[in-house]
Amino acid sequence: MAKAIFAGGCFWCMVKPFHKYDGVDQVISGYTGGHTENPTYKEVCSETTGHLEAVEVTYDPSVITYEELLEVFWRQIDPTDGGGQFNDRGQSYEPAIFYVDEAQKQAAEQSKAALDASGRFSKPVAVDIRPAAPFWPAEEYHQDYYKKNPFRYQMYSVGSGRAKFVKEAWKDHGKEQELKQRLTPIQYKVTQESGTEPAFRNEYWDEERPGLYVDIVDGTPLFTSKDKFNSSCGWPSFAKPIAEDKMEVNLDTTHGMTRTEVRSADADSHLGHIFDDGPKELGGLRYCINSAALRFIPVEELDSAGYGEYKKHFE
């Protein structure tokens, strides 16, 4: 295992982005770069310790490279803001990359130079690259904050301006154009613009054949007909996904409601919402999913479609 240390403003928002990648074993929130030992959150926030809020990523370099981690890091921050990140201002929120050896230093410098030269931002990249210093884990209540306090985490991510910036600044315009050409208008509106198709007037709300439902964008298997049930809501409803790690959940406060949005983890497609009014004998959840976000593959076509390994779900 190897370690990488990144400071990107509030460490609450820097854990989840790394956690979802294969090869990442652990992400710890903490403090580094300062001159005091065992600092507390209150001390670091006082701007008297010299420490930055940071995360220490433990990873398997045979599965995910340091260069790939750098790409994840850049896409969570505003690289041109050296005075803090979003609503969090001050020295303790400054962005920085802490290298643990010469190879990481060179990789970080090359990655920073490439981002500067890309022209993505009109201002220069303002992220420091520094030698690693002692890393002090933060208090336990800060660890995995997005899991312990999902509502507050999402409100903070949105309220600070981070969520909107990341979505707009790092938009892949090439992918955007490709998807506009490949998807139908309603498929694009649902998956890329978080739209909703009409109830009872969509492709799979009353589909009863056995089969597999995959992400319309990248083909990732998401649900099977074994977990599909009739909820009378007018959209396909599932009790659970094939694998929890293929899903991302977010707080959705649009349209004057508070709901739990569900997105596909790999393609970041908006799928629908999760409710707690599903059949209790199936776990009590209802994954209310837009047909336009899915492609249905009948059991008899799984082999020809390249999904033969999923026939075991129907045995």
PDB file of all heavy atoms in Angstrom, residues 179-191 216 292:
ATOM      1  N   LEU A 179     -23.140  12.183 -26.062  1.00  0.00           N
ATOM      2  CA  LEU A 179     -24.383  11.679 -25.483  1.00  0.00           C
ATOM      3  C   LEU A 179     -25.605  12.307 -26.145  1.00  0.00           C
ATOM      4  O   LEU A 179     -26.635  11.647 -26.328  1.00  0.00           O
ATOM      5  CB  LEU A 179     -24.405  11.940 -23.981  1.00  0.00           C
ATOM      6  CG  LEU A 179     -23.440  11.107 -23.139  1.00  0.00           C
ATOM      7  CD1 LEU A 179     -23.509  11.511 -21.675  1.00  0.00           C
ATOM      8  CD2 LEU A 179     -23.725   9.621 -23.290  1.00  0.00           C
ATOM      9  N   LYS A 180     -25.509  13.564 -26.519  1.00  0.00           N
ATOM     10  CA  LYS A 180     -26.633  14.215 -27.196  1.00  0.00           C
ATOM     11  C   LYS A 180     -26.929  13.538 -28.534  1.00  0.00           C
ATOM     12  O   LYS A 180     -28.089  13.475 -28.975  1.00  0.00           O
ATOM     13  CB  LYS A 180     -26.338  15.697 -27.411  1.00  0.00           C
ATOM     14  CG  LYS A 180     -26.524  16.551 -26.167  1.00  0.00           C
ATOM     15  CD  LYS A 180     -26.312  18.027 -26.463  1.00  0.00           C
ATOM     16  CE  LYS A 180     -26.596  18.877 -25.223  1.00  0.00           C
ATOM     17  NZ  LYS A 180     -26.392  20.329 -25.477  1.00  0.00           N
ATOM     18  N   GLN A 181     -25.892  13.044 -29.175  1.00  0.00           N
ATOM     19  CA  GLN A 181     -26.070  12.363 -30.450  1.00  0.00           C
ATOM     20  C   GLN A 181     -26.554  10.932 -30.257  1.00  0.00           C
ATOM     21  O   GLN A 181     -27.332  10.414 -31.060  1.00  0.00           O
ATOM     22  CB  GLN A 181     -24.752  12.363 -31.230  1.00  0.00           C
ATOM     23  CG  GLN A 181     -24.296  13.747 -31.675  1.00  0.00           C
ATOM     24  CD  GLN A 181     -22.950  13.721 -32.367  1.00  0.00           C
ATOM     25  OE1 GLN A 181     -22.362  12.667 -32.568  1.00  0.00           O
ATOM     26  NE2 GLN A 181     -22.453  14.890 -32.737  1.00  0.00           N
ATOM     27  N   ARG A 182     -26.100  10.271 -29.185  1.00  0.00           N
ATOM     28  CA  ARG A 182     -26.402   8.849 -28.982  1.00  0.00           C
ATOM     29  C   ARG A 182     -27.733   8.606 -28.279  1.00  0.00           C
ATOM     30  O   ARG A 182     -28.418   7.632 -28.574  1.00  0.00           O
ATOM     31  CB  ARG A 182     -25.254   8.206 -28.195  1.00  0.00           C
ATOM     32  CG  ARG A 182     -25.464   6.737 -27.849  1.00  0.00           C
ATOM     33  CD  ARG A 182     -24.160   6.049 -27.524  1.00  0.00           C
ATOM     34  NE  ARG A 182     -23.488   6.608 -26.371  1.00  0.00           N
ATOM     35  CZ  ARG A 182     -23.683   6.206 -25.112  1.00  0.00           C
ATOM     36  NH1 ARG A 182     -24.558   5.268 -24.854  1.00  0.00           N
ATOM     37  NH2 ARG A 182     -22.996   6.747 -24.122  1.00  0.00           N
ATOM     38  N   LEU A 183     -28.090   9.474 -27.352  1.00  0.00           N
ATOM     39  CA  LEU A 183     -29.305   9.272 -26.578  1.00  0.00           C
ATOM     40  C   LEU A 183     -30.493   9.991 -27.208  1.00  0.00           C
ATOM     41  O   LEU A 183     -30.322  10.952 -27.952  1.00  0.00           O
ATOM     42  CB  LEU A 183     -29.107   9.796 -25.152  1.00  0.00           C
ATOM     43  CG  LEU A 183     -27.957   9.198 -24.336  1.00  0.00           C
ATOM     44  CD1 LEU A 183     -27.907   9.837 -22.954  1.00  0.00           C
ATOM     45  CD2 LEU A 183     -28.084   7.687 -24.213  1.00  0.00           C
ATOM     46  N   THR A 184     -31.689   9.515 -26.879  1.00  0.00           N
ATOM     47  CA  THR A 184     -32.885  10.233 -27.300  1.00  0.00           C
ATOM     48  C   THR A 184     -33.022  11.486 -26.430  1.00  0.00           C
ATOM     49  O   THR A 184     -32.404  11.583 -25.362  1.00  0.00           O
ATOM     50  CB  THR A 184     -34.134   9.359 -27.118  1.00  0.00           C
ATOM     51  OG1 THR A 184     -34.334   9.115 -25.716  1.00  0.00           O
ATOM     52  CG2 THR A 184     -33.978   8.029 -27.853  1.00  0.00           C
ATOM     53  N   PRO A 185     -33.823  12.458 -26.851  1.00  0.00           N
ATOM     54  CA  PRO A 185     -33.987  13.669 -26.032  1.00  0.00           C
ATOM     55  C   PRO A 185     -34.412  13.388 -24.595  1.00  0.00           C
ATOM     56  O   PRO A 185     -33.897  14.000 -23.659  1.00  0.00           O
ATOM     57  CB  PRO A 185     -35.045  14.467 -26.803  1.00  0.00           C
ATOM     58  CG  PRO A 185     -34.834  14.059 -28.225  1.00  0.00           C
ATOM     59  CD  PRO A 185     -34.487  12.597 -28.171  1.00  0.00           C
ATOM     60  N   ILE A 186     -35.347  12.442 -24.397  1.00  0.00           N
ATOM     61  CA  ILE A 186     -35.800  12.177 -23.028  1.00  0.00           C
ATOM     62  C   ILE A 186     -34.726  11.435 -22.242  1.00  0.00           C
ATOM     63  O   ILE A 186     -34.560  11.664 -21.029  1.00  0.00           O
ATOM     64  CB  ILE A 186     -37.133  11.384 -23.015  1.00  0.00           C
ATOM     65  CG1 ILE A 186     -37.673  11.260 -21.580  1.00  0.00           C
ATOM     66  CG2 ILE A 186     -36.960  10.021 -23.652  1.00  0.00           C
ATOM     67  CD1 ILE A 186     -37.989  12.571 -20.907  1.00  0.00           C
ATOM     68  N   GLN A 187     -33.956  10.563 -22.876  1.00  0.00           N
ATOM     69  CA  GLN A 187     -32.866   9.880 -22.185  1.00  0.00           C
ATOM     70  C   GLN A 187     -31.796  10.872 -21.739  1.00  0.00           C
ATOM     71  O   GLN A 187     -31.274  10.779 -20.624  1.00  0.00           O
ATOM     72  CB  GLN A 187     -32.238   8.817 -23.107  1.00  0.00           C
ATOM     73  CG  GLN A 187     -33.116   7.608 -23.325  1.00  0.00           C
ATOM     74  CD  GLN A 187     -32.569   6.683 -24.409  1.00  0.00           C
ATOM     75  OE1 GLN A 187     -31.728   7.086 -25.227  1.00  0.00           O
ATOM     76  NE2 GLN A 187     -33.051   5.453 -24.429  1.00  0.00           N
ATOM     77  N   TYR A 188     -31.503  11.835 -22.598  1.00  0.00           N
ATOM     78  CA  TYR A 188     -30.506  12.850 -22.232  1.00  0.00           C
ATOM     79  C   TYR A 188     -31.041  13.742 -21.117  1.00  0.00           C
ATOM     80  O   TYR A 188     -30.319  14.033 -20.153  1.00  0.00           O
ATOM     81  CB  TYR A 188     -30.146  13.704 -23.456  1.00  0.00           C
ATOM     82  CG  TYR A 188     -29.012  14.668 -23.169  1.00  0.00           C
ATOM     83  CD1 TYR A 188     -27.692  14.286 -23.344  1.00  0.00           C
ATOM     84  CD2 TYR A 188     -29.269  15.960 -22.692  1.00  0.00           C
ATOM     85  CE1 TYR A 188     -26.642  15.159 -23.063  1.00  0.00           C
ATOM     86  CE2 TYR A 188     -28.237  16.831 -22.397  1.00  0.00           C
ATOM     87  CZ  TYR A 188     -26.928  16.421 -22.594  1.00  0.00           C
ATOM     88  OH  TYR A 188     -25.897  17.289 -22.288  1.00  0.00           O
ATOM     89  N   LYS A 189     -32.294  14.164 -21.229  1.00  0.00           N
ATOM     90  CA  LYS A 189     -32.869  15.048 -20.216  1.00  0.00           C
ATOM     91  C   LYS A 189     -32.871  14.380 -18.850  1.00  0.00           C
ATOM     92  O   LYS A 189     -32.547  15.011 -17.829  1.00  0.00           O
ATOM     93  CB  LYS A 189     -34.289  15.441 -20.613  1.00  0.00           C
ATOM     94  CG  LYS A 189     -34.960  16.374 -19.608  1.00  0.00           C
ATOM     95  CD  LYS A 189     -36.360  16.755 -20.051  1.00  0.00           C
ATOM     96  CE  LYS A 189     -37.017  17.684 -19.028  1.00  0.00           C
ATOM     97  NZ  LYS A 189     -38.392  18.069 -19.444  1.00  0.00           N
ATOM     98  N   VAL A 190     -33.231  13.108 -18.799  1.00  0.00           N
ATOM     99  CA  VAL A 190     -33.289  12.395 -17.519  1.00  0.00           C
ATOM    100  C   VAL A 190     -31.902  12.170 -16.951  1.00  0.00           C
ATOM    101  O   VAL A 190     -31.613  12.531 -15.800  1.00  0.00           O
ATOM    102  CB  VAL A 190     -34.036  11.052 -17.684  1.00  0.00           C
ATOM    103  CG1 VAL A 190     -33.812  10.168 -16.451  1.00  0.00           C
ATOM    104  CG2 VAL A 190     -35.515  11.298 -17.886  1.00  0.00           C
ATOM    105  N   THR A 191     -31.008  11.568 -17.725  1.00  0.00           N
ATOM    106  CA  THR A 191     -29.712  11.148 -17.175  1.00  0.00           C
ATOM    107  C   THR A 191     -28.743  12.300 -16.966  1.00  0.00           C
ATOM    108  O   THR A 191     -27.976  12.297 -16.003  1.00  0.00           O
ATOM    109  CB  THR A 191     -29.051  10.104 -18.088  1.00  0.00           C
ATOM    110  OG1 THR A 191     -28.818  10.680 -19.396  1.00  0.00           O
ATOM    111  CG2 THR A 191     -29.904   8.862 -18.217  1.00  0.00           C
ATOM    112  N   ILE A 216     -28.336   3.144 -19.262  1.00  0.00           N
ATOM    113  CA  ILE A 216     -28.423   3.457 -20.683  1.00  0.00           C
ATOM    114  C   ILE A 216     -27.165   4.154 -21.190  1.00  0.00           C
ATOM    115  O   ILE A 216     -26.836   4.078 -22.379  1.00  0.00           O
ATOM    116  CB  ILE A 216     -29.670   4.345 -20.969  1.00  0.00           C
ATOM    117  CG1 ILE A 216     -29.949   4.437 -22.479  1.00  0.00           C
ATOM    118  CG2 ILE A 216     -29.508   5.730 -20.367  1.00  0.00           C
ATOM    119  CD1 ILE A 216     -30.360   3.148 -23.109  1.00  0.00           C
ATOM    120  N   ALA A 292     -36.185   5.921 -18.945  1.00  0.00           N
ATOM    121  CA  ALA A 292     -35.248   6.538 -19.890  1.00  0.00           C
ATOM    122  C   ALA A 292     -33.804   6.410 -19.448  1.00  0.00           C
ATOM    123  O   ALA A 292     -32.888   6.618 -20.252  1.00  0.00           O
ATOM    124  CB  ALA A 292     -35.601   8.007 -20.080  1.00  0.00           C
TER     125      ALA A 292
END
